Amino acid sequence: MLERENRSIALPSGRPRSLLALLLMASGTPISRDRLIDELWGEHPPASAVSALHVHLSKLRELLGDLMVRDAAGYSMRTEGFELDCARFDALVTRARSEPAEARVLLREALGLVRGEPLCDVPAEGGVAQWRRALEEKCLQAQLLRIDADMAAGATGELVPELETLVSAHPFEERIWGQLMLALYRSGRQADALDAFARARRALASELGLEPGEQLLRLQTQMLQHELDGGTELLAAPEPVVATAELVAPASPEPPRRASNLPAAVTKLVGREPELAILQSLLTDADVRVVTLIGPGGVGKTRLAIELARRIEPDYRDGAVFVRLERLTDPALVAAEIASALGHRAGTDGPGADGLARYLRDLELLLVIDNFEHLLPAAVLVSELLELTPQIKVLVSSRTALRIRGERLLTVQPLELPTGGSDDEIVASPAVQLFVERARAAEAGLDLTPDSYRTIAAICEALDGLPLAIELAASRAHLLTLEDIHEQLSRPLVIGERSLRDLPDRHQTLRATIGWSYDLLSEAAQAVLRAAGVFIGGFTLAALEAVVGRMPADELAELQESSLVRRQADARRFEMLELVRAFAREKCQDAGESANVAARHRRYFAELAAPASAEFDIGVEVGLLSIRLRAEHANIRAAFDDAVANGDEESATMLALALRPLWIAGNLRQESIEFAERLLGRFSLSGPDELALLRIVAALEHGSGEWQRRFADRAAELGDSEALGVATAQLFAVAITARDREEMARLHPVLESLISDETSPRVLGWVYYSLFGEAYLDNRFEPAYENACLSVERARETGHSYMLVCALEARLLARSAMDRGITQPEVAEVFELACSYGVHSVVVAAIWFVARYAAAVDPESARRWLTLAERISTEFEAAPSLEEVLRAETMEVLGITDLGPLLAAAPPFDQATALDDVAAWVASRSPTEVAPRDPVLRP
């Protein structure tokens, strides 16, 4: 139940409730968008996961207000302003441990807070499942502490039913068996107490193959020898809230804590608090015995493992032991290396390799094993130790998972790069912070300006945020300027040469770091890695198969296990760090395979992209096509470059024409011009292909009209009347934008001549749209409205989505000017269609409609939407349109003469979230509401 200001708040069900649970469990630690998606949808999220997440967050924000926070690291809950029962539970148990006299009262109060299964209406997966298990373990331990306190206060037989229930639920918890034996013995039931010991022995032997531990054995001996008669020793114990083993008998002195052999940190750990929090949570879970940190070389696994061990070592009675495996080459020597590490700790006699399990049997220890990837056959040893040593936990760093039962994996990611381009966002980036710290260690007097930080951000981005790469680059700051270091990134694999002498050989250069992993691969996997280097921006299994020439599923799995390849957020795609890709390309070149690999890559993407070109020509929605192409944009560009360089006209043409939906959706004007110039300058295309290319470039170009005229001239030369009609409409649109009435007058008769039964509906739609614009400019709103309606009809007839959204915006512009009012249903229709189509220019126009509508009914929201439209327009170079008059009107109504201050004060924005907010605001308005509009035309 959620209560706020003394009133209950009904929470939404389903994923919003799961989302709230995740944020509360994080205790103020930000959770990234990607992790929230993983938690809510698992390994295979839907394509709409990002927008759905924003909707759920918006609902929670409405309920929680400022309790929910978003920053560069993700989403979180404030640590103040609310109280959780689980936090109060922890506080009461902590007090009970430190205040023995009040322990019974405090523990009963704590356990009274546990009412049924926690989060019973939230799916128990991922982080929620971990949290539940941790809470269940806490509750069990609190219950056992309370039983200890009751026994110390004189309780005996009345505890037996409760303890019998507990041993049934937890048959392998020796502490509970000891409490049951003691309760039975004290109540005069010695035979039953000894029978309980026999039952415990059978349970441990039959299920685990183990004998009872030393504490239970000692308790049995004391009962047989009647050394516990009356239990006076126990009643006199000075602290009632202690473990059962301490209540059993006068305990032998606790052995002195072993000295730590953890390596001392020589540098500060930067940007790893979220991972440390996750790891601490994992290792406090009673069900987790082994955690493996996996990730590419140089990502910081060892440093993270050492820092974690240093922080949690006090929680283990016998501390932590660090075992280095980097210099071993024989898996059979791993046991001896672990034994040696145990023996080198001060005050201990190390075991031999054969006696390792016996030595560890009664220890409570964290075993940290570093650099396991080249000794994987020895993973069986870790599994055996876990079975034979119930109080040992193992933390492993490896580029490859051990693949043993019970293993929990945490992939260590590169450090977070700047999420935006502002100075504050750059400075806050963990990757930048690491570079600055290491650079200042190398050059104490390093003077940094905002421009310096931007150069550092570029360096970190080129190095994939990989900590080792950043440290190696920063270590040259005493020899090179930041600009020089940035220049060296053209050869990133040699970064680090003659830099840090105290690094292991495998970390002396980035080439050596990646080469260490490469050398561990099978020959087949090495060949697949070399071929995969041709991909830019990731690849699918089908693409990799085409480039390799066979199905490489097993080799791809090997590359994933070695942390050289990883899955993208879309689980169907894979990617490599840019540094790994550079290594793979270098190896491919050395092997003489580059030309063949590039040719297969080029042919595959030409064939993959061809259907999008055909579908675009018949009017399939641009948004749908662009989504399919967006993931492969970089690969298609690279394939086009290769096709042009190798004179492959067919592939180059297919690739360029296939990108048209993406150019329209993203308003990629400059890229379309670049492709057209290179393609037409290199090859003589067929007439239809040339016109198709010129048409899209002309549609995107806004300004001089050069490409529109080129399109019109070529259409006239080829005698293509439909292309000429579209080109004329495009030239008219340029004239409208420029308010060039002379050009409009020249073209008007041509447009009028196109209105006939012989003209295709698609051309007629653009003709009517052009005539709408001319009439609107002349303040002739009724004919403007009539032409817009005719454009809508033709768009619906042809199924042309882009024409339809443009025509609907035109119709609303004209109708609202004619009737002096904007209605909520019209705005909602235009905004929804514009967002679903996804072209930035029409999205900006739709937001202008919302802002103009809001200016009359909600001025504060109008300022927000006006600012949003400006930011999208600036960021994506949205083309100017006649609807821009709404921007001027909105500013006039609001009394704004300069949007600069509003833009400067606006917080960082996520476009999908912002559009969700606009949609929610529009939906909140009454369908009968009409916002007055007095059109203000800016000639």
Side-chain angles (χ1 to χ4, degrees):
M1 176 183 294
L2 178 65
E3 295 185 0
R4 193 170 188 190
E5 298 174 355
N6 296 321
R7 63 186 179 89
S8 297
I9 298 176
L11 290 174
S13 59
R15 289 196 170 92
R17 191 179 291 257
S18 299
L19 186 58
L20 177 60
L22 290 166
L23 294 174
L24 290 173
M25 288 185 298
S27 303
T29 300
I31 306 178
S32 69
R33 184 188 71 180
D34 289 345
R35 185 183 161 206
L36 288 174
I37 289 174
D38 289 343
E39 291 285 355
L40 293 179
W41 284 281
E43 294 183 357
H44 304 291
S48 61
V50 173
S51 58
L53 174 64
H54 290 311
V55 171
H56 298 328
L57 288 166
S58 181
K59 289 180 181 178
L60 281 183
R61 195 181 298 115
E62 291 176 7
L63 293 173
L64 303 175
D66 60 359
L67 290 179
M68 194 168 79
V69 179
R70 182 186 179 193
D71 57 26
Y75 299 87
S76 62
M77 294 285 289
R78 295 187 187 279
T79 54
E80 69 281 355
F82 64 96
E83 185 176 24
L84 295 176
D85 283 352
C86 58
R88 178 162 172 73
F89 175 96
D90 288 340
L92 288 167
V93 173
T94 299
R95 279 188 59 198
R97 292 181 186 277
S98 60
E99 299 176 20
E102 302 296 326
R104 299 178 72 193
V105 174
L106 293 170
L107 291 166
R108 278 186 166 79
E109 182 180 350
L111 292 167
L113 295 172
V114 182
R115 300 182 294 274
E117 183 182 358
L119 300 178
C120 60
D121 54 352
V122 176
E125 299 174 359
V128 175
Q130 293 177 21
W131 182 84
R132 277 190 189 171
R133 288 195 296 270
L135 183 58
E136 289 167 358
E137 179 61 21
K138 287 181 182 179
C139 291
L140 174 62
Q141 295 306 318
Q143 187 176 3
L144 300 185
L145 285 173
R146 196 222 76 227
I147 292 171
D148 283 344
D150 287 346
M151 294 177 72
T156 54
E158 62 266 37
L159 297 174
V160 171
E162 180 182 5
L163 288 166
E164 287 285 8
T165 301
L166 285 172
V167 295
S168 296
H170 307 280
F172 311 122
E173 287 285 345
E174 295 190 27
R175 179 181 176 189
I176 305 175
W177 284 108
Q179 287 179 322
L180 175 60
M181 291 167 62
L182 194 57
L184 289 167
Y185 185 88
R186 284 185 170 180
S187 59
R189 299 166 59 183
Q190 181 184 10
D192 290 337
L194 295 172
D195 180 67
F197 174 83
R199 285 190 285 147
R201 170 174 268 171
R202 286 195 298 272
L204 292 168
S206 63
E207 296 295 329
L208 302 181
L210 299 175
E211 282 293 308
E214 180 183 347
Q215 294 155 0
L216 279 186
L217 291 170
R218 186 168 64 242
L219 182 57
Q220 181 209 29
T221 300
Q222 291 171 324
M223 288 178 176
L224 289 171
Q225 297 175 357
H226 300 285
E227 294 178 1
L228 297 177
D229 285 345
T232 55
E233 304 90 348
L234 299 167
L235 292 173
E239 294 188 13
V241 186
V242 291
T244 302
E246 295 171 314
L247 289 171
V248 168
S252 57
E254 182 178 339
R257 180 175 294 277
R258 274 73 169 178
S260 174
N261 79 327
L262 294 176
V266 295
T267 57
K268 177 184 176 184
L269 184 66
V270 175
R272 292 302 190 189
E273 288 303 322
E275 290 93 337
L276 287 168
I278 294 170
L279 286 168
Q280 285 190 258
S281 175
L282 280 173
L283 286 171
T284 55
D285 186 337
D287 292 335
V288 176
R289 299 287 311 284
V290 56
V291 176
T292 303
L293 305 180
I294 61 172
V299 81
K301 302 181 294 295
T302 299
R303 184 68 180 83
L304 181 60
I306 292 171
E307 179 65 20
L308 175 71
R310 185 185 64 78
R311 293 190 182 190
I312 67 175
E313 183 179 17
D315 298 337
Y316 292 81
R317 185 184 68 233
D318 298 291
V321 177
F322 187 79
V323 183
R324 300 178 184 273
L325 300 182
E326 63 190 48
R327 290 184 173 84
L328 292 187
T329 58
D330 185 353
L333 298 179
V334 170
E337 192 70 17
I338 295 174
S340 176
L342 288 164
H344 276 84
R345 292 195 307 164
T348 69
D349 294 321
D354 294 338
L356 191 56
R358 289 192 301 275
Y359 182 87
L360 293 171
R361 174 67 178 81
D362 294 320
L363 296 184
E364 182 184 290
L365 184 77
L366 176 65
L367 193 59
V368 184
I369 308 178
D370 183 45
N371 201 47
F372 213 115
E373 62 271 358
H374 59 302
L375 302 166
L376 291 176
V380 176
L381 169 68
V382 176
S383 183
E384 292 172 350
L385 287 178
L386 290 172
E387 290 180 1
L388 298 173
T389 57
Q391 299 182 91
I392 300 297
K393 292 202 175 188
V394 180
L395 178 64
V396 178
S397 75
S398 175
R399 302 187 191 186
T400 304
L402 304 192
R403 290 197 295 177
I404 59 176
R405 289 173 297 166
E407 181 183 28
R408 299 293 294 272
L409 299 175
L410 178 70
T411 301
V412 182
Q413 301 288 355
L415 289 174
E416 188 176 347
L417 295 163
T419 54
S422 73
D423 292 345
D424 289 343
E425 288 170 315
I426 290 173
V427 172
S429 160
V432 171
Q433 290 175 2
L434 177 64
F435 186 98
V436 170
E437 179 166 309
R438 301 301 190 261
R440 283 188 166 144
E443 179 57 51
L446 189 65
D447 184 26
L448 297 176
T449 66
D451 285 342
S452 302
Y453 273 100
R454 281 187 280 277
T455 301
I456 291 171
I459 292 170
C460 293
E461 186 170 354
L463 296 173
D464 297 310
L466 201 67
L468 174 65
I470 291 171
E471 291 196 35
L472 290 173
S475 69
R476 310 302 300 275
H478 67 297
L479 298 172
L480 304 172
T481 66
L482 294 175
E483 290 72 20
D484 290 337
I485 294 173
H486 190 213
E487 258 184 59
Q488 279 197 341
L489 297 182
S490 60
R491 297 175 61 240
L493 297 177
V494 301
I495 287 178
E497 286 182 345
R498 298 178 299 278
S499 290
L500 301 174
R501 295 187 180 91
D502 61 337
L503 289 174
D505 291 344
R506 70 183 193 281
H507 284 169
Q508 284 293 328
T509 66
L510 296 180
R511 181 182 286 111
T513 299
I514 301 168
W516 169 273
S517 295
Y518 180 81
D519 291 341
L520 295 174
L521 298 173
S522 65
E523 289 186 8
Q526 289 177 347
V528 171
L529 181 71
R530 293 194 299 269
V534 73
F535 295 104
I536 302 176
F539 55 90
T540 62
L541 179 57
L544 184 62
E545 180 182 3
V547 168
V548 172
R550 58 180 174 79
M551 172 55 73
D554 292 341
E555 291 83 0
L556 180 59
E558 185 178 347
L559 295 175
Q560 285 182 269
E561 288 183 351
S562 301
S563 300
L564 291 168
V565 169
R566 61 187 181 186
R567 286 189 184 272
Q568 291 183 338
D570 178 351
R572 297 165 298 181
R573 292 184 62 80
F574 304 87
E575 66 182 359
M576 296 186 291
L577 294 174
E578 278 303 302
L579 295 170
V580 176
R581 198 175 79 83
F583 179 91
R585 289 175 70 86
E586 185 179 275
K587 286 290 184 181
C588 190
Q589 183 70 39
D590 293 344
E593 301 165 346
S594 296
N596 288 335
V597 165
R600 290 194 291 266
H601 176 270
R602 178 176 76 238
R603 289 193 294 270
Y604 172 79
F605 282 104
E607 293 172 5
L608 180 75
S613 179
E615 291 173 53
F616 178 77
D617 286 333
I618 63 174
V620 174
E621 189 174 310
V622 167
L624 295 175
L625 296 176
S626 67
I627 288 172
R628 281 164 39 190
L629 292 168
R630 191 169 294 124
E632 302 296 2
H633 189 188
N635 277 312
I636 293 173
R637 276 193 62 100
F640 176 81
D641 292 342
D642 185 64
V644 171
N646 286 279
D648 184 349
E649 178 182 346
E650 181 182 7
S651 295
T653 304
M654 290 169 65
L655 290 160
L657 293 180
L659 280 176
R660 290 176 295 163
L662 202 57
W663 292 342
I664 284 284
N667 196 38
L668 303 179
R669 178 172 56 90
Q670 196 55 48
E671 181 174 299
S672 71
I673 293 173
E674 176 203 335
F675 271 53
E677 288 177 339
R678 292 177 62 193
L679 195 60
L680 296 175
R682 181 77 164 83
F683 306 110
S684 296
L685 303 188
S686 68
D689 285 345
E690 183 178 358
L691 288 178
L693 186 64
L694 290 172
R695 178 173 180 169
I696 205 69
V697 179
L700 287 167
E701 198 226 352
H702 43 85
S704 68
E706 173 192 349
W707 285 91
Q708 288 88 351
R709 284 188 288 274
R710 187 171 174 179
F711 176 34
D713 292 344
R714 189 62 177 138
E717 289 174 13
L718 294 172
D720 190 321
S721 58
E722 175 156 333
L724 184 58
V726 173
T728 303
Q730 289 179 345
L731 285 168
F732 203 87
V734 173
I736 289 175
T737 299
R739 307 298 195 259
D740 186 344
R741 295 183 182 276
E742 183 178 337
E743 178 71 356
M744 290 162 60
R746 185 184 72 80
L747 293 171
H748 182 89
V750 181
L751 290 176
E752 290 281 6
S753 69
L754 290 170
I755 301 176
S756 71
D757 293 339
E758 296 179 359
T759 304
S760 73
R762 191 166 179 177
V763 173
L764 280 175
W766 290 119
V767 168
Y768 288 127
Y769 182 80
S770 300
L771 294 174
F772 142 78
E774 180 185 38
Y776 193 94
L777 269 184
D778 292 335
N779 291 323
R780 295 183 293 112
F781 299 135
E782 288 189 16
Y785 176 68
E786 291 171 2
N787 281 302
C789 289
L790 290 170
S791 184
V792 169
E793 290 175 11
R794 298 301 177 273
R796 293 194 193 280
E797 180 182 346
T798 61
H800 197 292
S801 303
Y802 180 58
M803 184 192 299
L804 178 60
V805 69
C806 292
L808 285 173
E809 289 183 343
R811 187 177 70 178
L812 177 53
L813 187 66
R815 209 272 319 140
S816 62
M818 185 171 61
D819 298 338
R820 303 300 175 97
I822 307 176
T823 68
Q824 187 270 352
E826 288 177 302
V827 172
E829 178 188 26
V830 164
F831 184 77
E832 181 179 358
L833 185 58
C835 289
S836 67
Y837 191 70
V839 175
H840 291 109
S841 58
V842 296
V843 169
V844 168
I847 299 173
W848 281 333
F849 274 112
V850 177
R852 181 66 185 89
Y853 176 87
V857 297
D858 184 356
E860 186 57 36
S861 292
R863 289 183 176 86
R864 290 175 60 199
W865 313 144
L866 193 62
T867 304
L868 173 64
E870 198 72 10
R871 295 177 74 173
I872 295 175
S873 180
T874 301
E875 186 167 336
F876 296 100
E877 282 192 279
S881 64
L882 191 56
E883 288 81 4
E884 195 166 4
V885 298
L886 296 166
R887 174 179 179 271
E889 288 180 20
T890 305
M891 292 177 66
E892 184 167 300
V893 171
L894 297 175
I896 298 172
T897 58
D898 180 10
L899 283 172
L902 281 178
L903 290 170
F909 86 114
D910 174 81
Q911 183 174 326
T913 304
L915 293 179
D916 287 344
D917 290 342
V918 178
W921 184 87
V922 173
S924 73
R925 309 306 300 182
S926 169
T928 61
E929 184 174 60
V930 179
R933 179 192 171 211
D934 185 15
V936 178
L937 192 61
R938 301 297 183 199

